[in-house]
């Protein structure tokens, strides 16, 4: 068999495998969208696949009519932005010094950071710590515990180490301080990895609900995922189908669940295309140099 034929077979196998993988990933989400846009009869009779059946918007009309869902959406958006900014600032502040060979105890700090990747205090000690710090029912309980991810920190350190030291040395000769060097020289060269880590932090915060489930009892501080989780757990019919003054046709729990899942997922999906070009190169650089 010639090399050209072998390459062609290899490409066909790769394309087939990737296509199947994409289909397996997309099918559940398309099915969820289809259920959210289908009629009660089609859903209950099991006729819905990946295409809507007997199209209707009633589930979305009811979801958008629920003011608490819109409030949770706005709160989660602000929470995600604030968390991402703070996480990036603290990760940067930790990563840059740890790339300096002159830093005393640098290896010890790295060992401590790596240990936290494999061992944690556990759920109950974390809860007791948050309680003793008086952060229960506080937005800080959702931000501070995950402020620096060891995994993301190591990726950023690896990337910084790949930047030629001669650039920093030239800046130092010109009288540049560490802060000036970091913001004017290092960060502009690190946009791919910064965008990648920002996306990791943003998606992690947007999708997180376990911490809010443990630490938050005030409905005003419910993130969108916790709201969704509660609605799914409670079968959600009583709150949304019996809305005041509603003369709409009652919906099945499945269609409302599907509509809320799409409602919670689409905002973060809209952000991804803007970061994709940075995300691909940043993830590869972090992987290779890590």
């Amino acid at each position: 068999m010639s090399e050209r034929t072998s390459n062609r077979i290899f490409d066909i196998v790769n394309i087939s495998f990737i296509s199947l993988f994409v289909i397996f990933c997309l099918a559940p989400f398309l099915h969820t969208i289809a259920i959210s846009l289908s009629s009660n009869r089609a859903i209950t009779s099991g006729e819905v696949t990946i295409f809507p059946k007997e199209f209707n918007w009633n589930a979305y009309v009811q979801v958008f009519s629920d003011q608490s869902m819109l409030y949770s959406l706005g709160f989660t958006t602000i929470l995600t932005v604030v968390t991402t900014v703070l996480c990036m600032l603290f990760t940067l502040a930790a990563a840059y010094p740890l790339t300096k060979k002159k830093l005393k105890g640098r290896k010890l700090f790295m060992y401590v950071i790596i240990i936290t990747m494999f061992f944690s205090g556990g759920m109950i000690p974390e809860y007791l710590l948050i309680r003793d710090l008086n952060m229960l029912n506080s937005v800080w309980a959702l931000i501070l515990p995950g402020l620096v991810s060891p995994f993301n920190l190591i990726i950023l350190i690896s990337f910084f180490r790949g930047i030629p030291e001669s650039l920093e040395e030239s800046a130092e000769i010109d009288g540049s301080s560490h802060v000036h060097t970091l913001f004017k020289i290092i960060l502009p060269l690190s946009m791919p990895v910064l965008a990648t880590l920002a996306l990791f932090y943003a998606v992690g915060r947007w999708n997180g609900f376990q911490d809010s489930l443990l630490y938050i009892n005030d409905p005003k501080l419910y993130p969108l995922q916790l709201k969704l989780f509660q609605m799914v757990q409670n079968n959600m019919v009583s709150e949304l189908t019996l809305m005041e003054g509603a003369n709409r046709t009652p919906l099945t729990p499945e269609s409302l669940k599907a509509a809320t899942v799409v409602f919670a997922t689409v905002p973060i999906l809209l952000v991804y295309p803007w970061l994709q070009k940075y995300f691909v190169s940043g993830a590869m650089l972090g992987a290779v140099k890590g």
Side-chain angles (χ1 to χ4, degrees), residues 222-239:
Y222 281 177
L224 191 59
Q225 299 298 336
L226 178 60
K227 186 80 179 170
L228 174 63
F229 173 75
Q230 289 184 333
M231 296 175 94
V232 172
Q233 287 294 99
N234 298 332
N235 236 1
M236 72 189 270
V237 184
S238 56
E239 290 185 12

Side-chain angles (χ1 to χ4, degrees), residues 7-235:
N7 289 339
R8 184 170 294 177
I9 293 174
F10 181 75
D11 290 342
I12 292 173
V13 171
N14 268 344
I15 292 172
S16 303
F17 177 76
I18 293 172
S19 300
L20 281 174
F21 184 74
V22 170
I23 291 172
F24 285 139
C25 290
L26 283 180
F29 190 60
L30 294 177
H31 180 64
T32 302
I33 295 176
I35 287 180
S36 69
L37 294 172
S38 299
S39 68
N40 292 349
R41 190 205 62 77
I43 296 171
T44 52
S45 60
E47 298 177 9
V48 183
T49 55
I50 60 172
F51 300 105
K53 199 85 175 178
E54 299 171 5
F55 189 89
N56 76 71
W57 289 93
N58 288 345
Y60 289 99
V61 170
Q62 294 202 9
V63 168
F64 279 96
S65 300
D66 186 346
Q67 293 301 315
S68 66
M69 285 291 289
L70 298 178
Y71 176 84
S72 289
L73 175 64
F75 173 73
T76 307
T77 303
I78 296 172
L79 178 66
T80 301
V81 171
V82 172
T83 302
T84 304
V85 170
L86 290 177
C87 287
M88 290 305 298
L89 286 176
F90 277 79
T91 304
L92 276 173
Y96 183 68
L98 288 172
T99 60
K100 304 301 169 194
K101 296 177 181 174
K102 297 176 184 177
L103 180 68
K104 293 182 179 178
R106 184 169 62 101
K107 290 186 178 178
L108 175 63
F109 290 135
M110 287 302 301
Y111 285 134
V112 172
I113 291 168
I114 292 172
I115 286 174
T116 63
M117 293 179 65
F118 299 101
F119 303 98
S120 69
M123 183 185 297
I124 294 176
E126 285 181 13
Y127 176 83
L128 295 177
L129 177 63
I130 295 293
R131 186 198 62 183
D132 293 343
L133 292 174
N134 293 320
M135 289 199 302
L136 290 180
N137 270 328
S138 163
V139 70
W140 295 113
L142 305 178
I143 296 176
L144 294 182
L147 210 52
V148 177
S149 160
F151 178 76
N152 293 345
L153 178 60
I154 290 174
I155 288 179
L156 192 56
I157 290 173
S158 301
F159 187 87
F160 282 170
R161 285 177 180 168
I163 296 176
E165 292 184 10
S166 56
L167 285 175
E168 297 183 47
E169 291 170 356
S170 300
E172 287 179 12
I173 292 173
D174 291 338
S176 174
S177 65
H178 283 299
V179 175
H180 187 271
T181 302
L182 175 63
F183 283 95
K184 294 296 182 181
I185 297 177
I186 303 298
L187 294 191
L189 296 173
S190 310
M191 290 308 294
V193 73
L194 294 179
T196 302
L197 298 187
L199 186 63
F200 285 166
Y201 280 124
V203 172
R205 180 61 271 165
W206 184 272
N207 290 333
F209 79 93
Q210 187 174 2
D211 51 356
S212 50
L213 182 67
L214 292 174
Y215 307 140
I216 303 298
N217 290 320
D218 186 352
K220 291 181 180 178
L221 299 178
Y222 281 177
L224 191 59
Q225 299 298 336
L226 178 60
K227 186 80 179 170
L228 174 63
F229 173 75
Q230 289 184 333
M231 296 175 94
V232 172
Q233 287 294 99
N234 298 332
N235 236 1

